[in-house]
Amino acid sequence: MYPEDVVMPMKAQLTQKGFIDLDTSEKVTEALNKPGTTLLIINSVCGCAAGSARPGVILSIEGAGKKPEFLTTTFAGFDIEAVKTAREHLVPFPPSSPSIALFKDGELVHFLERHHIEGHSAEMIAENLQQAYGEFC
């Protein structure tokens, strides 16, 4: 597990932008089964989370255009049981962090694995997500 003093500022980067922190299995299950659209980012301490995933997700929800109704996050290596439950909703994809998932009415409809994030700019991540919002939100 990562130390709290390392993780909390990374969590805050998203929660300060309106993302709900899913730190328990129960919160994950409730959030991902809601009717409507839910964005989930499995946050991480890695460089691609800091450089692309978090900034890209934030950029994707700013400004005009369609957006998910619910914004959620959980943290790999810290919210152990919550992340385990989240990953059960991401089958058949293997565990990946960071990763970004869009759910519609409890069904996974769009997913970015680490290899879709790593080496891509925040703007590219945002554009990918905005295209998914246009289709599913």
Side-chain angles (χ1 to χ4, degrees):
M1 286 215 1
Y2 295 111
E4 186 172 340
D5 60 331
V6 170
V7 170
M8 296 317 281
M10 294 179 209
K11 280 186 171 230
Q13 190 176 0
L14 294 172
T15 58
Q16 290 173 353
K17 295 292 184 175
F19 284 75
I20 298 165
D21 186 19
L22 305 178
D23 57 358
T24 68
S25 292
E26 295 78 18
K27 288 180 184 178
V28 169
T29 299
E30 181 182 334
L32 298 185
N33 288 317
K34 281 185 181 180
T37 52
T38 302
L39 184 67
L40 169 69
I41 175 169
I42 297 182
N43 205 346
S44 174
V45 298
C46 72
C48 65
S52 299
R54 290 191 301 270
V57 165
I58 292 166
L59 188 60
S60 79
I61 61 166
E62 293 178 342
K66 293 183 177 182
K67 299 174 191 142
E69 296 168 77
F70 307 103
L71 305 172
T72 64
T73 183
T74 192
F75 207 100
F78 190 77
D79 301 322
I80 305 298
E81 290 303 315
V83 170
K84 179 181 175 195
T85 300
R87 288 180 172 155
E88 291 170 2
H89 291 266
L90 300 173
V91 171
F93 297 99
S96 178
S97 57
S99 60
I100 306 164
L102 181 64
F103 293 84
K104 183 171 185 171
D105 299 327
E107 179 185 339
L108 179 65
V109 293
H110 189 74
F111 188 59
L112 295 176
E113 298 176 79
R114 180 186 177 112
H115 69 88
H116 296 123
I117 297 167
E118 209 168 24
H120 294 89
S121 69
E123 292 78 13
M124 292 170 74
I125 302 300
E127 183 178 328
N128 178 293
L129 292 171
Q130 287 168 340
Q131 288 176 0
Y133 304 161
E135 183 175 347
F136 298 108
C137 296

mmCIF file of all heavy atoms in Angstrom, residues 70-105:
data_model
loop_
_atom_site.group_PDB
_atom_site.id
_atom_site.type_symbol
_atom_site.label_atom_id
_atom_site.label_comp_id
_atom_site.label_asym_id
_atom_site.label_seq_id
_atom_site.Cartn_x
_atom_site.Cartn_y
_atom_site.Cartn_z
ATOM 1 N N PHE A 70 -22.109 11.124 -13.620
ATOM 2 C CA PHE A 70 -21.411 10.861 -12.372
ATOM 3 C C PHE A 70 -19.916 10.689 -12.638
ATOM 4 O O PHE A 70 -19.528 9.983 -13.560
ATOM 5 C CB PHE A 70 -21.965 9.599 -11.686
ATOM 6 C CG PHE A 70 -23.458 9.638 -11.502
ATOM 7 C CD1 PHE A 70 -24.288 8.908 -12.347
ATOM 8 C CD2 PHE A 70 -24.039 10.421 -10.512
ATOM 9 C CE1 PHE A 70 -25.664 8.949 -12.203
ATOM 10 C CE2 PHE A 70 -25.419 10.467 -10.361
ATOM 11 C CZ PHE A 70 -26.237 9.743 -11.212
ATOM 12 N N LEU A 71 -19.112 11.330 -11.822
ATOM 13 C CA LEU A 71 -17.650 11.270 -11.930
ATOM 14 C C LEU A 71 -17.122 10.576 -10.689
ATOM 15 O O LEU A 71 -17.398 11.020 -9.566
ATOM 16 C CB LEU A 71 -17.071 12.683 -12.031
ATOM 17 C CG LEU A 71 -17.628 13.558 -13.149
ATOM 18 C CD1 LEU A 71 -17.119 14.989 -13.013
ATOM 19 C CD2 LEU A 71 -17.284 12.979 -14.510
ATOM 20 N N THR A 72 -16.361 9.499 -10.876
ATOM 21 C CA THR A 72 -15.893 8.716 -9.733
ATOM 22 C C THR A 72 -14.429 8.328 -9.899
ATOM 23 O O THR A 72 -13.906 8.298 -11.007
ATOM 24 C CB THR A 72 -16.735 7.439 -9.556
ATOM 25 O OG1 THR A 72 -16.561 6.591 -10.690
ATOM 26 C CG2 THR A 72 -18.211 7.764 -9.377
ATOM 27 N N THR A 73 -13.805 8.018 -8.774
ATOM 28 C CA THR A 73 -12.403 7.601 -8.793
ATOM 29 C C THR A 73 -12.121 6.670 -7.616
ATOM 30 O O THR A 73 -12.770 6.744 -6.575
ATOM 31 C CB THR A 73 -11.464 8.825 -8.741
ATOM 32 O OG1 THR A 73 -10.107 8.372 -8.827
ATOM 33 C CG2 THR A 73 -11.652 9.645 -7.478
ATOM 34 N N THR A 74 -11.164 5.803 -7.821
ATOM 35 C CA THR A 74 -10.624 4.958 -6.761
ATOM 36 C C THR A 74 -9.128 4.826 -7.030
ATOM 37 O O THR A 74 -8.672 5.134 -8.123
ATOM 38 C CB THR A 74 -11.352 3.600 -6.686
ATOM 39 O OG1 THR A 74 -10.983 2.939 -5.484
ATOM 40 C CG2 THR A 74 -11.099 2.740 -7.892
ATOM 41 N N PHE A 75 -8.361 4.428 -6.028
ATOM 42 C CA PHE A 75 -6.900 4.515 -6.131
ATOM 43 C C PHE A 75 -6.239 3.152 -5.974
ATOM 44 O O PHE A 75 -6.322 2.523 -4.911
ATOM 45 C CB PHE A 75 -6.361 5.476 -5.061
ATOM 46 C CG PHE A 75 -5.079 6.121 -5.460
ATOM 47 C CD1 PHE A 75 -5.067 7.413 -5.958
ATOM 48 C CD2 PHE A 75 -3.880 5.449 -5.353
ATOM 49 C CE1 PHE A 75 -3.871 8.028 -6.340
ATOM 50 C CE2 PHE A 75 -2.690 6.030 -5.725
ATOM 51 C CZ PHE A 75 -2.681 7.329 -6.225
ATOM 52 N N ALA A 76 -5.558 2.712 -7.042
ATOM 53 C CA ALA A 76 -4.827 1.443 -7.019
ATOM 54 C C ALA A 76 -3.686 1.504 -6.016
ATOM 55 O O ALA A 76 -2.996 2.515 -5.910
ATOM 56 C CB ALA A 76 -4.282 1.125 -8.404
ATOM 57 N N GLY A 77 -3.519 0.440 -5.256
ATOM 58 C CA GLY A 77 -2.451 0.390 -4.268
ATOM 59 C C GLY A 77 -2.785 1.108 -2.975
ATOM 60 O O GLY A 77 -1.948 1.222 -2.085
ATOM 61 N N PHE A 78 -4.032 1.587 -2.869
ATOM 62 C CA PHE A 78 -4.452 2.289 -1.656
ATOM 63 C C PHE A 78 -5.864 1.866 -1.250
ATOM 64 O O PHE A 78 -6.071 1.437 -0.136
ATOM 65 C CB PHE A 78 -4.380 3.808 -1.864
ATOM 66 C CG PHE A 78 -4.574 4.601 -0.610
ATOM 67 C CD1 PHE A 78 -3.541 4.722 0.310
ATOM 68 C CD2 PHE A 78 -5.775 5.221 -0.345
ATOM 69 C CE1 PHE A 78 -3.716 5.449 1.481
ATOM 70 C CE2 PHE A 78 -5.957 5.954 0.821
ATOM 71 C CZ PHE A 78 -4.930 6.065 1.725
ATOM 72 N N ASP A 79 -6.817 1.988 -2.155
ATOM 73 C CA ASP A 79 -8.197 1.554 -1.911
ATOM 74 C C ASP A 79 -8.324 0.110 -2.396
ATOM 75 O O ASP A 79 -8.989 -0.177 -3.403
ATOM 76 C CB ASP A 79 -9.180 2.466 -2.661
ATOM 77 C CG ASP A 79 -9.083 3.924 -2.253
ATOM 78 O OD1 ASP A 79 -8.890 4.188 -1.058
ATOM 79 O OD2 ASP A 79 -9.196 4.791 -3.138
ATOM 80 N N ILE A 80 -7.676 -0.790 -1.693
ATOM 81 C CA ILE A 80 -7.474 -2.159 -2.165
ATOM 82 C C ILE A 80 -8.784 -2.868 -2.509
ATOM 83 O O ILE A 80 -8.952 -3.372 -3.627
ATOM 84 C CB ILE A 80 -6.675 -2.988 -1.126
ATOM 85 C CG1 ILE A 80 -5.340 -2.309 -0.782
ATOM 86 C CG2 ILE A 80 -6.480 -4.423 -1.608
ATOM 87 C CD1 ILE A 80 -4.385 -2.145 -1.935
ATOM 88 N N GLU A 81 -9.702 -2.951 -1.590
ATOM 89 C CA GLU A 81 -10.964 -3.674 -1.832
ATOM 90 C C GLU A 81 -11.826 -2.950 -2.859
ATOM 91 O O GLU A 81 -12.477 -3.586 -3.677
ATOM 92 C CB GLU A 81 -11.728 -3.889 -0.518
ATOM 93 C CG GLU A 81 -11.055 -4.881 0.410
ATOM 94 C CD GLU A 81 -10.825 -6.250 -0.232
ATOM 95 O OE1 GLU A 81 -11.748 -6.782 -0.889
ATOM 96 O OE2 GLU A 81 -9.714 -6.795 -0.098
ATOM 97 N N ALA A 82 -11.825 -1.632 -2.833
ATOM 98 C CA ALA A 82 -12.613 -0.862 -3.800
ATOM 99 C C ALA A 82 -12.104 -1.104 -5.217
ATOM 100 O O ALA A 82 -12.895 -1.307 -6.145
ATOM 101 C CB ALA A 82 -12.561 0.625 -3.452
ATOM 102 N N VAL A 83 -10.797 -1.089 -5.402
ATOM 103 C CA VAL A 83 -10.224 -1.322 -6.728
ATOM 104 C C VAL A 83 -10.509 -2.759 -7.177
ATOM 105 O O VAL A 83 -10.834 -2.997 -8.346
ATOM 106 C CB VAL A 83 -8.716 -1.002 -6.749
ATOM 107 C CG1 VAL A 83 -8.066 -1.464 -8.048
ATOM 108 C CG2 VAL A 83 -8.493 0.487 -6.539
ATOM 109 N N LYS A 84 -10.419 -3.697 -6.259
ATOM 110 C CA LYS A 84 -10.726 -5.095 -6.607
ATOM 111 C C LYS A 84 -12.162 -5.202 -7.117
ATOM 112 O O LYS A 84 -12.416 -5.851 -8.142
ATOM 113 C CB LYS A 84 -10.532 -5.988 -5.373
ATOM 114 C CG LYS A 84 -10.851 -7.438 -5.619
ATOM 115 C CD LYS A 84 -10.664 -8.267 -4.362
ATOM 116 C CE LYS A 84 -11.108 -9.693 -4.624
ATOM 117 N NZ LYS A 84 -11.285 -10.449 -3.411
ATOM 118 N N THR A 85 -13.090 -4.562 -6.457
ATOM 119 C CA THR A 85 -14.490 -4.580 -6.882
ATOM 120 C C THR A 85 -14.658 -3.865 -8.220
ATOM 121 O O THR A 85 -15.366 -4.350 -9.105
ATOM 122 C CB THR A 85 -15.385 -3.940 -5.809
ATOM 123 O OG1 THR A 85 -15.242 -4.691 -4.595
ATOM 124 C CG2 THR A 85 -16.851 -3.921 -6.229
ATOM 125 N N ALA A 86 -13.994 -2.734 -8.385
ATOM 126 C CA ALA A 86 -14.071 -2.005 -9.658
ATOM 127 C C ALA A 86 -13.589 -2.888 -10.804
ATOM 128 O O ALA A 86 -14.215 -2.931 -11.870
ATOM 129 C CB ALA A 86 -13.254 -0.718 -9.576
ATOM 130 N N ARG A 87 -12.502 -3.585 -10.586
ATOM 131 C CA ARG A 87 -11.945 -4.434 -11.648
ATOM 132 C C ARG A 87 -12.868 -5.591 -12.014
ATOM 133 O O ARG A 87 -12.845 -6.067 -13.147
ATOM 134 C CB ARG A 87 -10.557 -4.916 -11.246
ATOM 135 C CG ARG A 87 -9.550 -3.775 -11.321
ATOM 136 C CD ARG A 87 -8.165 -4.176 -10.942
ATOM 137 N NE ARG A 87 -7.228 -3.087 -11.226
ATOM 138 C CZ ARG A 87 -6.077 -2.923 -10.614
ATOM 139 N NH1 ARG A 87 -5.693 -3.790 -9.679
ATOM 140 N NH2 ARG A 87 -5.307 -1.910 -10.927
ATOM 141 N N GLU A 88 -13.695 -6.019 -11.086
ATOM 142 C CA GLU A 88 -14.686 -7.055 -11.404
ATOM 143 C C GLU A 88 -15.684 -6.544 -12.435
ATOM 144 O O GLU A 88 -16.213 -7.310 -13.230
ATOM 145 C CB GLU A 88 -15.413 -7.508 -10.135
ATOM 146 C CG GLU A 88 -14.525 -8.283 -9.185
ATOM 147 C CD GLU A 88 -15.145 -8.526 -7.815
ATOM 148 O OE1 GLU A 88 -16.318 -8.125 -7.589
ATOM 149 O OE2 GLU A 88 -14.447 -9.104 -6.965
ATOM 150 N N HIS A 89 -15.922 -5.238 -12.439
ATOM 151 C CA HIS A 89 -16.835 -4.617 -13.394
ATOM 152 C C HIS A 89 -16.166 -4.362 -14.740
ATOM 153 O O HIS A 89 -16.832 -3.942 -15.688
ATOM 154 C CB HIS A 89 -17.379 -3.298 -12.834
ATOM 155 C CG HIS A 89 -18.299 -3.471 -11.681
ATOM 156 N ND1 HIS A 89 -19.668 -3.537 -11.823
ATOM 157 C CD2 HIS A 89 -18.057 -3.609 -10.361
ATOM 158 C CE1 HIS A 89 -20.229 -3.695 -10.641
ATOM 159 N NE2 HIS A 89 -19.267 -3.747 -9.737
ATOM 160 N N LEU A 90 -14.852 -4.568 -14.813
ATOM 161 C CA LEU A 90 -14.096 -4.280 -16.021
ATOM 162 C C LEU A 90 -13.729 -5.523 -16.833
ATOM 163 O O LEU A 90 -13.026 -5.422 -17.830
ATOM 164 C CB LEU A 90 -12.818 -3.502 -15.661
ATOM 165 C CG LEU A 90 -13.067 -2.163 -14.969
ATOM 166 C CD1 LEU A 90 -11.757 -1.554 -14.497
ATOM 167 C CD2 LEU A 90 -13.822 -1.208 -15.877
ATOM 168 N N VAL A 91 -14.195 -6.672 -16.407
ATOM 169 C CA VAL A 91 -13.944 -7.912 -17.127
ATOM 170 C C VAL A 91 -14.540 -7.766 -18.531
ATOM 171 O O VAL A 91 -15.641 -7.219 -18.659
ATOM 172 C CB VAL A 91 -14.577 -9.090 -16.358
ATOM 173 C CG1 VAL A 91 -14.544 -10.377 -17.154
ATOM 174 C CG2 VAL A 91 -13.896 -9.265 -15.018
ATOM 175 N N PRO A 92 -13.856 -8.157 -19.572
ATOM 176 C CA PRO A 92 -12.741 -9.081 -19.673
ATOM 177 C C PRO A 92 -11.368 -8.417 -19.677
ATOM 178 O O PRO A 92 -10.367 -9.087 -19.927
ATOM 179 C CB PRO A 92 -12.991 -9.761 -21.020
ATOM 180 C CG PRO A 92 -13.538 -8.659 -21.862
ATOM 181 C CD PRO A 92 -14.388 -7.837 -20.908
ATOM 182 N N PHE A 93 -11.285 -7.131 -19.396
ATOM 183 C CA PHE A 93 -9.993 -6.449 -19.421
ATOM 184 C C PHE A 93 -9.166 -6.822 -18.198
ATOM 185 O O PHE A 93 -9.692 -6.912 -17.095
ATOM 186 C CB PHE A 93 -10.190 -4.935 -19.478
ATOM 187 C CG PHE A 93 -10.890 -4.488 -20.726
ATOM 188 C CD1 PHE A 93 -12.247 -4.221 -20.715
ATOM 189 C CD2 PHE A 93 -10.191 -4.364 -21.917
ATOM 190 C CE1 PHE A 93 -12.898 -3.822 -21.871
ATOM 191 C CE2 PHE A 93 -10.834 -3.971 -23.084
ATOM 192 C CZ PHE A 93 -12.197 -3.694 -23.057
ATOM 193 N N PRO A 94 -7.859 -7.019 -18.385
ATOM 194 C CA PRO A 94 -6.997 -7.331 -17.241
ATOM 195 C C PRO A 94 -6.810 -6.097 -16.360
ATOM 196 O O PRO A 94 -7.033 -4.970 -16.817
ATOM 197 C CB PRO A 94 -5.674 -7.740 -17.897
ATOM 198 C CG PRO A 94 -5.681 -7.059 -19.219
ATOM 199 C CD PRO A 94 -7.114 -6.978 -19.641
ATOM 200 N N PRO A 95 -6.386 -6.292 -15.113
ATOM 201 C CA PRO A 95 -6.127 -5.151 -14.233
ATOM 202 C C PRO A 95 -5.160 -4.173 -14.884
ATOM 203 O O PRO A 95 -4.162 -4.569 -15.488
ATOM 204 C CB PRO A 95 -5.517 -5.791 -12.989
ATOM 205 C CG PRO A 95 -6.039 -7.188 -12.993
ATOM 206 C CD PRO A 95 -6.138 -7.566 -14.447
ATOM 207 N N SER A 96 -5.490 -2.904 -14.762
ATOM 208 C CA SER A 96 -4.694 -1.865 -15.385
ATOM 209 C C SER A 96 -4.832 -0.588 -14.574
ATOM 210 O O SER A 96 -5.940 -0.177 -14.242
ATOM 211 C CB SER A 96 -5.215 -1.644 -16.816
ATOM 212 O OG SER A 96 -4.524 -0.619 -17.471
ATOM 213 N N SER A 97 -3.707 0.014 -14.228
ATOM 214 C CA SER A 97 -3.770 1.299 -13.545
ATOM 215 C C SER A 97 -2.614 2.166 -14.027
ATOM 216 O O SER A 97 -1.493 1.681 -14.132
ATOM 217 C CB SER A 97 -3.740 1.127 -12.026
ATOM 218 O OG SER A 97 -2.593 0.421 -11.624
ATOM 219 N N PRO A 98 -2.935 3.386 -14.376
ATOM 220 C CA PRO A 98 -4.285 3.939 -14.346
ATOM 221 C C PRO A 98 -5.136 3.346 -15.465
ATOM 222 O O PRO A 98 -4.619 2.769 -16.413
ATOM 223 C CB PRO A 98 -4.053 5.433 -14.577
ATOM 224 C CG PRO A 98 -2.823 5.483 -15.429
ATOM 225 C CD PRO A 98 -1.969 4.353 -14.951
ATOM 226 N N SER A 99 -6.425 3.527 -15.322
ATOM 227 C CA SER A 99 -7.361 3.177 -16.383
ATOM 228 C C SER A 99 -8.595 4.049 -16.217
ATOM 229 O O SER A 99 -8.844 4.607 -15.143
ATOM 230 C CB SER A 99 -7.718 1.687 -16.354
ATOM 231 O OG SER A 99 -8.304 1.317 -15.138
ATOM 232 N N ILE A 100 -9.346 4.160 -17.312
ATOM 233 C CA ILE A 100 -10.512 5.039 -17.318
ATOM 234 C C ILE A 100 -11.656 4.278 -17.975
ATOM 235 O O ILE A 100 -11.509 3.762 -19.084
ATOM 236 C CB ILE A 100 -10.225 6.340 -18.093
ATOM 237 C CG1 ILE A 100 -8.965 7.032 -17.549
ATOM 238 C CG2 ILE A 100 -11.433 7.273 -18.031
ATOM 239 C CD1 ILE A 100 -8.381 8.089 -18.467
ATOM 240 N N ALA A 101 -12.789 4.226 -17.293
ATOM 241 C CA ALA A 101 -13.936 3.467 -17.794
ATOM 242 C C ALA A 101 -15.178 4.339 -17.808
ATOM 243 O O ALA A 101 -15.391 5.153 -16.903
ATOM 244 C CB ALA A 101 -14.177 2.245 -16.901
ATOM 245 N N LEU A 102 -15.984 4.139 -18.829
ATOM 246 C CA LEU A 102 -17.279 4.805 -18.915
ATOM 247 C C LEU A 102 -18.354 3.726 -18.873
ATOM 248 O O LEU A 102 -18.304 2.764 -19.652
ATOM 249 C CB LEU A 102 -17.380 5.621 -20.209
ATOM 250 C CG LEU A 102 -18.688 6.390 -20.424
ATOM 251 C CD1 LEU A 102 -18.881 7.463 -19.349
ATOM 252 C CD2 LEU A 102 -18.703 7.021 -21.812
ATOM 253 N N PHE A 103 -19.291 3.890 -17.956
ATOM 254 C CA PHE A 103 -20.406 2.969 -17.795
ATOM 255 C C PHE A 103 -21.699 3.679 -18.158
ATOM 256 O O PHE A 103 -21.867 4.865 -17.863
ATOM 257 C CB PHE A 103 -20.513 2.481 -16.337
ATOM 258 C CG PHE A 103 -19.375 1.618 -15.914
ATOM 259 C CD1 PHE A 103 -18.190 2.176 -15.454
ATOM 260 C CD2 PHE A 103 -19.482 0.228 -15.962
ATOM 261 C CE1 PHE A 103 -17.128 1.377 -15.059
ATOM 262 C CE2 PHE A 103 -18.421 -0.576 -15.567
ATOM 263 C CZ PHE A 103 -17.241 -0.003 -15.115
ATOM 264 N N LYS A 104 -22.598 2.951 -18.800
ATOM 265 C CA LYS A 104 -23.934 3.469 -19.068
ATOM 266 C C LYS A 104 -24.931 2.459 -18.532
ATOM 267 O O LYS A 104 -24.911 1.286 -18.944
ATOM 268 C CB LYS A 104 -24.156 3.695 -20.558
ATOM 269 C CG LYS A 104 -25.519 4.300 -20.859
ATOM 270 C CD LYS A 104 -25.651 4.717 -22.296
ATOM 271 C CE LYS A 104 -26.995 5.416 -22.467
ATOM 272 N NZ LYS A 104 -27.084 6.031 -23.791
ATOM 273 N N ASP A 105 -25.751 2.903 -17.601
ATOM 274 C CA ASP A 105 -26.748 2.029 -16.967
ATOM 275 C C ASP A 105 -26.112 0.748 -16.441
ATOM 276 O O ASP A 105 -26.651 -0.348 -16.605
ATOM 277 C CB ASP A 105 -27.885 1.715 -17.944
ATOM 278 C CG ASP A 105 -28.628 2.979 -18.384
ATOM 279 O OD1 ASP A 105 -28.726 3.915 -17.566
ATOM 280 O OD2 ASP A 105 -29.104 3.021 -19.532
#
